[in-house]
Amino acid sequence: DVKVTQSSRYLVKRTGEKVFLECVQDMDHENMFWYRQDPGLGLRLIYFSYDVKMKEKGDIPEGYSVSREKKERFSLILESASTNQTSMYLCASSLPDSEQFFGPGTRLTVL
Amino acid sequence: GEDVEQSLFLSVREGDSSVINCTYTDSSSTYLYWYKQEPGAGLQLLTYIFSNMDMKQDQRLTVLLNKKDKHLSLRIADTQTGDSAIYFCAERGTGGSYIPTFGRGTSLIVHP
C-alpha cells in the first residue's frame, strides 16, 4: 500500500514564524503536491513537483515556498506565517499519469 | 479553465441510497475519480472510471458517467452512518495534464 505521511497532525504557530510542513511518501512516486483545504473552497493547489529539485507553482503559491531535495520528501515552507494561512494542509503523491494518494493532513493554526 | 461542480450538502436516512452528483467542463477528461474524506483525515480514493465507460460497480458503490452531458454520479446503496464524510469528485486528462481538478466536495450526512 502507498503510504504518505505528514510530520504533524496539528500545529500551532505565531504570526511571523517560519513554518515547515514535511511530507514523505514510500512508493517512489515522481509527483508530489501540496494543497490547502478550507471550508466551502475545497482543495486548492499550492505547489507541485514532478521530480527532485523541480517545482511548479499551483493556483495559490503566494506566501509559500517548497523544497524537494530527495524524491520521497516534499516540504512546504511558510516564510512568515500569517493568520490567513490557518488551514488544513494536504500532501499527495502520484506516479506520472496516475491517481493521487493523500496524506492524513496537517491542521495549522496561526495565532 | 476546467471546472468541477458539486452540491455542498446531502442528507439521507440510514439504509437509503445516496446519490452524489458532479458536473465537469473539460471535454478531454479521461479519468474521473471519487475520493472520500472522513473527519480530520486526508482523502482516500474510493473509485474511478475511465471516460470510455458508462458505469462501474464495486460492492455498494455505483459510478455512472454521462460523457455527453459531462455528468458523473456516485450512488451508495444501503447508506450507513460510517458513510458520513465529504466526497470529492475529480477529473484528469492524460499525458501532460496529470494534475486533477477537484470539486469543492459534498458533505454527506447520514441520520438514523
Side-chain angles (χ1 to χ4, degrees):
Chain A
D1 273 355
V2 175
K3 194 164 183 185
V4 181
T5 57
Q6 295 184 229
S7 50
S8 306
R9 293 300 303 274
Y10 300 94
L11 210 51
V12 180
K13 295 292 181 181
R14 296 207 174 274
T15 302
E17 280 192 81
K18 191 168 185 175
V19 182
F20 291 88
L21 302 183
E22 303 283 344
C23 175
V24 177
Q25 49 92 6
D26 66 357
M27 283 303 290
D28 205 34
H29 284 174
E30 281 80 5
N31 302 332
M32 295 189 76
F33 308 81
W34 275 108
Y35 293 89
R36 64 177 283 177
Q37 182 182 14
D38 300 288
L41 297 179
L43 273 67
R44 292 183 290 168
L45 182 64
I46 304 171
Y47 267 97
F48 63 99
S49 168
Y50 52 87
D51 202 352
V52 176
K53 296 193 186 294
M54 305 302 288
K55 60 184 178 184
E56 295 284 345
K57 293 180 181 179
D59 299 319
I60 52 162
E62 296 77 21
Y64 303 93
S65 62
V66 290
S67 172
R68 189 145 181 225
E69 295 297 318
K70 292 185 178 181
K71 191 175 186 180
E72 67 270 19
R73 188 180 297 269
F74 193 34
S75 303
L76 180 69
I77 303 149
L78 287 66
E79 295 290 341
S80 177
S82 63
T83 54
N84 63 12
Q85 292 178 310
T86 291
S87 187
M88 173 74 129
Y89 289 88
L90 293 166
C91 175
S93 72
S94 75
L95 291 168
D97 209 22
S98 188
E99 69 270 17
Q100 292 178 321
F101 294 86
F102 282 82
T106 295
R107 186 164 293 283
L108 173 67
T109 302
V110 183
L111 301 176
Chain B
E2 301 89 356
D3 197 16
V4 177
E5 297 284 342
Q6 303 177 240
S7 54
L8 291 182
F9 298 99
L10 177 65
S11 178
V12 300
R13 195 182 300 275
E14 190 174 15
D16 287 351
S17 291
S18 309
V19 179
I20 303 170
N21 294 300
C22 170
T23 58
Y24 59 98
T25 58
D26 186 1
S27 57
S28 68
S29 295
T30 304
Y31 300 91
L32 296 122
Y33 304 96
W34 283 106
Y35 283 86
K36 177 184 181 182
Q37 184 183 35
E38 295 182 356
L43 277 68
Q44 171 195 357
L45 181 65
L46 266 185
T47 186
Y48 64 92
I49 190 168
F50 295 112
S51 59
N52 62 357
M53 299 168 65
D54 297 325
M55 185 179 89
K56 182 178 181 182
Q57 189 151 5
D58 183 4
Q59 300 183 332
R60 292 190 298 122
L61 304 178
T62 303
V63 178
L64 294 177
L65 174 61
N66 181 330
K67 196 173 179 182
K68 175 176 166 289
D69 294 340
K70 300 191 186 71
H71 182 268
L72 182 73
S73 68
L74 174 70
R75 178 177 181 269
I76 306 173
D78 187 24
T79 312
Q80 302 298 308
T81 54
D83 295 322
S84 292
I86 302 175
Y87 291 81
F88 289 91
C89 169
E91 62 85 21
R92 184 173 69 83
T94 56
S97 305
Y98 52 76
I99 301 172
T101 300
F102 285 85
R104 295 187 178 191
T106 299
S107 288
L108 174 64
I109 300 160
V110 183
H111 53 90

